[in-house]
Every structure is written in structure tokens, then in C-alpha cells.
Amino acid sequence: MAHRADGTPPDPSEIGDRISEGSLLIELLRLRDSMRLFFRPALRAHGLTDQSWRIVKVLGERGPLEMTSLGVAAAIPMASASRIVTRMARGGIVKRLPNKVARRQVLVELTEKGHRLHADVAPQIRQVYAELGERLAPDALEQLHEVVSQLNEQLAALGADVTAAPED
């Protein structure tokens, strides 16, 4: 937290004024869009969009998931996740399975093709992160990741339910 020139912490209302002047949400969106530019060539080379990669990544790391859990884990609204999974199933990347525990739900899992895709793309994405880490301030990406994770946890504790957020 930035302190005043005299070393005292700012009043909470001053923090809100400074953040709204700089438009924190706009800056976060710009950061997201800037970061995506570095990853898109690797994704496009494999016929993936940002969102379809997030689905492959989540399923590759966690295994089969129920559709709602997949949408939440991949940070994709349910309606979009459903459309993307349908498209990916047609492409043979994922498949839907009946959920033996909750019969109304469907599980989504990677096919062999999906697992190969994950194995091919994940190292390329890690390489992009490594290259960005070398070009940016030392530890900047790790610090950003840590701060964003902490803020997400704090906002969730305040009742911010991203699973219920409407699509943009």
C-alpha cells in the first residue's frame, strides 16, 4: 500500500479515489489483453482459442469435471463453456460422459487427442511465461499472480460469486 509523503497510510476513501482515477478494471483488462497477445500464436498454431485452451488445460490438470465445475475452473461463463465444449466434442478433443453419481449432470473429459494437445501446448505456454518473466521486471509475474490470487480470495470472502456472474 502506498503511503503519504509523511509516511502515514492513506485514508480508505483516498485509495478509492486513486484507483478510480486510474480505472483499475480498465487497466486489468488491458493487462489481460496484452498478455494474451503473447500466447495466441502458440494457441492458434494448434487451432485453439483462449477459452478452449483453458478448458484443455483444466481437464488436463484435473481430469474429468462436471460442466459447472469446468466453467468455474476455466473462468468461462456456463453458456459459453457449454458451446465451446460442444464444438470441442465435435472436434474430438473432449467427450461427455454420464455422471454415475449425479445422473442429471454430465462429466467432460479429454479424449486421447485432447491429452496429446495438452501435452503439446502446455510446454509452449510455460515457455511463453518464462520468456515474459525474463523480459519483465524480475519476479513481476510471480508477484502479480500472488496479489491477484489474494485479492480473489478476499473478494470471495466478501461474497463475490464469480460462478453467478452474468456473461459480458
Side-chain angles (χ1 to χ4, degrees):
M1 176 185 314
H3 287 65
R4 294 183 183 127
D6 66 3
T8 60
D11 182 88
S13 65
E14 293 173 17
I15 296 169
D17 289 343
R18 278 201 325 270
I19 289 174
S20 66
E21 287 171 11
S23 198
L24 177 61
L25 291 176
I26 291 172
E27 289 301 316
L28 288 171
L29 287 169
R30 283 186 183 134
L31 175 63
R32 179 195 69 173
D33 291 343
S34 296
M35 294 281 296
R36 288 162 51 171
L37 292 174
F38 291 93
F39 295 94
R40 281 196 173 139
L43 298 179
R44 297 298 183 264
H46 293 278
L48 294 168
T49 65
D50 300 347
Q51 291 180 324
S52 61
W53 165 244
R54 292 198 311 260
I55 288 173
V56 169
K57 179 183 186 310
V58 166
L59 292 174
E61 292 173 354
R62 298 187 186 183
L65 288 173
E66 183 273 323
M67 191 63 139
T68 302
S69 299
L70 176 58
V72 170
I76 301 171
M78 268 307 298
S80 296
S82 182
R83 284 191 304 273
I84 295 164
V85 164
T86 297
R87 209 170 31 249
M88 293 173 75
R90 280 195 302 259
I93 297 169
V94 300
K95 61 183 173 184
R96 291 183 171 105
L97 304 168
N99 186 338
K100 295 175 183 169
V101 176
R103 297 191 186 275
R104 289 182 167 184
Q105 297 176 347
V106 173
L107 294 175
V108 180
E109 78 172 348
L110 291 177
T111 61
E112 279 302 314
K113 179 179 179 180
H115 282 289
R116 284 193 307 273
L117 188 61
H118 181 258
D120 289 345
V121 177
Q124 293 176 33
I125 297 301
R126 282 193 295 274
Q127 181 61 36
V128 172
Y129 274 117
E131 289 171 8
L132 282 173
E134 290 173 7
R135 298 166 113 187
L136 300 174
D139 302 324
L141 289 178
E142 282 187 44
Q143 291 170 4
L144 176 64
H145 186 258
E146 186 175 317
V147 168
V148 169
S149 294
Q150 289 172 358
L151 289 173
N152 276 327
E153 289 174 13
Q154 292 171 7
L155 289 169
L158 292 174
D161 183 4
V162 296
T163 64
E167 280 191 65
D168 289 336

